[in-house]
Amino acid sequence: MIDPAPYIAAIPELTPVPCGTLTRSVGLLLEATGPELPVGALVAVRDRGAAAVCEVVGFNDDRLLLLAIDETRQVSPGSLVAPLHLTFRAGPWILGRVLDGLGRPLDGMPIPPDAEEIELEPPPVAPMGRGLTATPLDVGVRAVNALLTLGVGQKIGVFSMPGVGKSVLLGMMARGTSADANVIALIGERGREAREFIEDILGPEGLKRSVVIVVPSDTPAPMRIKGSFLATAIAAYLRREGRNVLLLMDSLTRVAMAQREVGLASGEPPTARGYPPSVFAVIPKLVEQAGVSAGGGSITGIYTVLLHEENDTVGELAKSVLDGHITLSRELASRGHFPAIDILSSISRVAHRVSAPEHNANRHRFVELYARWREAEELIALGTYHPGADRRADEAVAMHERLENFLKQKMSEHVNFDDSLKQLGEAISQ
């Protein structure tokens, strides 16, 4: 039997039947005879004291096709394959904790035995069981609060090339949000970056009201997928408790890449950029958990998306299923402009719904001025700008320093929602 000590989930006694045996291993794929289980079920592969958790990803005649969630180097042909049901024991203790993709603690602290059991993957949310997004969410970042206003229950993406500051922006939001709790999923990150995020960017105060799921890049692909769904399941549990939850996932692209590994290993045909069809089903299933519960509580989802090219497959998919996108610019970052948010390429599709009329008017005025400044900036660089030729361009040029200063914010600085709106009015005043 698998040692239950490292697991938060209570692992029940494995019945002696039905069981099967491991017969084949090719690359990432394992093959076993029985037991008869559906796709998505978990099994324990045991051999002389060693044990690994695997997921059923398909079947071929009477053989199960498995992918390992844990390390499988110690299992051998003939290893026993038995059904396994893992759950997660959730409770108030989870705030301030760091867990892996199956809910096992990574911070060395014990897990209370008395807690509510929840599934590792939450069930779908009924469309008519959702509330409306009608309240603005304070995230402590001036440019987002004022110009890309988020609504409680919204799902939005942070799109960027690598190394432009998306993790720093997520940390600023986690520390400055008005949400009751944060659930932060670091999926496919380098191990060093995960610890730096927790200790340097999130900080002790941010960690106190956060649950952090860390699944680094060297873990098996199914574990990375499980980690993303576990984070979502924890957020759904907190929502059922009546809390407003901010779910931060870094990154959605690495979840898609993990699903690509799983899909290709199990025999799915590759499509655009080698992504199999299952990727286009997993991403919507994941992000559609965000939203307002009709009975109270909410999940506001912020998902980072790594862009590798202009028409990135995962980026285009994410834009189609999210309620807006915040685009980070490498050009702005290279100028020392942080957060490097490209306001003209970003949009929040619920901003108009959750903002007051005066706020909407000020937002439109700022964006118009900033767009005219960007046009004039090109002319100035070419030496073809002539003051007095365009009154509105002259106005934008005169105000551009205030506009730029409004968009900049130090990592340690927190600007609440009301102050953001006040400073927006001051930035565009004559």
Side-chain angles (χ1 to χ4, degrees):
M1 176 178 174
I2 289 182
D3 179 11
Y7 288 88
I8 294 177
I11 302 178
E13 290 291 335
L14 300 178
T15 55
V17 289
C19 290
T21 57
L22 191 65
T23 59
R24 191 166 179 254
S25 174
V26 179
L28 301 176
L29 197 66
L30 305 176
E31 192 172 294
T33 59
E36 295 182 359
L37 294 171
V39 172
L42 298 180
V43 298
V45 180
R46 298 178 289 155
D47 179 40
R48 294 187 295 274
V53 179
C54 298
E55 181 178 3
V56 179
V57 296
F59 51 87
N60 182 13
D61 295 330
D62 59 343
R63 303 293 177 96
L64 292 181
L65 305 181
L66 313 173
L67 278 180
I69 294 177
D70 278 341
E71 184 60 59
T72 59
R73 283 182 294 183
Q74 296 185 17
V75 299
S76 60
S79 297
L80 182 67
V81 177
L84 179 66
H85 181 66
L86 297 181
T87 56
F88 177 82
R89 291 207 303 270
W93 64 268
I94 60 179
L95 294 180
R97 301 303 302 271
V98 182
L99 313 171
D100 75 356
L102 291 179
R104 296 174 290 192
L106 296 176
D107 50 17
M109 292 188 287
I111 302 303
D114 52 338
E116 178 183 342
E117 286 194 359
I118 62 173
E119 296 294 328
L120 298 181
E121 294 189 18
V125 180
M128 300 309 293
R130 298 175 180 269
L132 297 177
T133 301
T135 306
L137 177 69
D138 183 3
V139 293
V141 179
R142 179 170 48 231
V144 177
N145 282 343
L147 303 176
L148 302 169
T149 313
L150 304 185
V152 173
Q154 182 180 0
K155 49 185 185 292
I156 194 167
V158 177
F159 291 69
S160 80
M161 301 288 286
V164 184
K166 56 180 175 49
S167 296
V168 173
L169 180 59
L170 292 187
M172 293 172 67
M173 292 180 175
R175 293 195 311 271
T177 183
S178 60
D180 301 322
N182 301 316
V183 179
I184 303 170
L186 304 178
I187 308 297
E189 291 283 349
R190 292 177 284 273
R192 173 189 59 80
E193 287 187 337
R195 184 163 185 175
E196 286 180 354
F197 179 90
I198 294 170
E199 296 185 0
D200 299 339
I201 299 177
L202 185 61
E205 291 302 316
L207 182 59
K208 282 181 182 178
R209 57 172 179 160
S210 302
V211 187
V212 184
I213 308 298
V214 178
V215 190
S217 57
D218 60 348
T219 55
M223 177 70 94
R224 282 173 264 154
I225 298 169
K226 289 293 183 186
S228 66
F229 278 99
L230 174 62
T232 307
I234 293 173
Y237 162 78
L238 294 171
R239 177 175 57 186
R240 289 196 304 273
E241 295 289 304
R243 304 195 192 202
N244 291 321
V245 183
L246 181 61
L247 171 61
L248 303 169
M249 188 169 295
D250 186 12
S251 74
L252 204 61
T253 301
R254 293 193 177 107
V255 176
M257 293 171 68
Q259 183 60 40
R260 178 170 62 183
E261 289 184 44
V262 170
L264 294 178
S266 59
E268 285 190 71
T271 56
R273 285 185 62 88
Y275 287 105
S278 59
V279 171
F280 302 92
V282 166
I283 298 302
K285 181 181 178 183
L286 189 64
V287 303
E288 276 298 314
Q289 286 290 328
V292 179
S293 172
S298 67
I299 298 175
T300 304
I302 301 179
Y303 307 87
T304 66
V305 181
L306 291 171
L307 299 177
H308 297 97
E309 59 185 5
E310 185 174 348
N311 296 317
D312 186 84
T313 302
V314 178
E316 294 303 312
L317 171 62
K319 286 181 180 179
S320 69
V321 297
L322 297 174
D323 300 326
H325 50 276
I326 299 172
T327 303
L328 303 186
S329 165
R330 183 176 292 279
E331 179 186 357
L332 290 175
S334 66
R335 298 181 188 176
H337 184 299
F338 289 101
I341 300 174
D342 187 347
I343 292 298
L344 301 183
S345 299
S346 305
I347 186 173
S348 170
R349 294 194 178 102
V350 304
H352 68 284
R353 180 184 179 90
V354 300
S355 302
E358 181 182 1
H359 180 187
N360 280 324
N362 288 345
R363 178 194 303 112
H364 295 153
R365 168 73 171 158
F366 186 101
V367 172
E368 179 185 6
L369 286 169
Y370 194 71
R372 291 192 178 278
W373 154 245
R374 293 288 289 270
E375 293 172 0
E377 186 181 28
E378 295 181 5
L379 297 178
I380 293 171
L382 294 172
T384 58
Y385 174 72
H386 302 290
D390 186 335
R391 178 185 58 82
R392 290 177 296 182
D394 292 343
E395 182 184 23
V397 171
M399 299 175 64
H400 85 272
E401 187 172 351
R402 273 191 284 167
L403 303 181
E404 294 283 355
N405 289 337
F406 177 84
L407 294 174
K408 295 178 182 178
Q409 185 173 330
K410 295 179 180 178
M411 185 181 77
S412 58
E413 184 182 1
H414 170 257
V415 184
N416 65 38
F417 191 81
D418 291 337
D419 287 343
S420 298
L421 301 192
K422 180 182 177 182
Q423 293 172 25
L424 172 62
E426 293 171 350
I428 62 174
S429 63
Q430 297 292 340

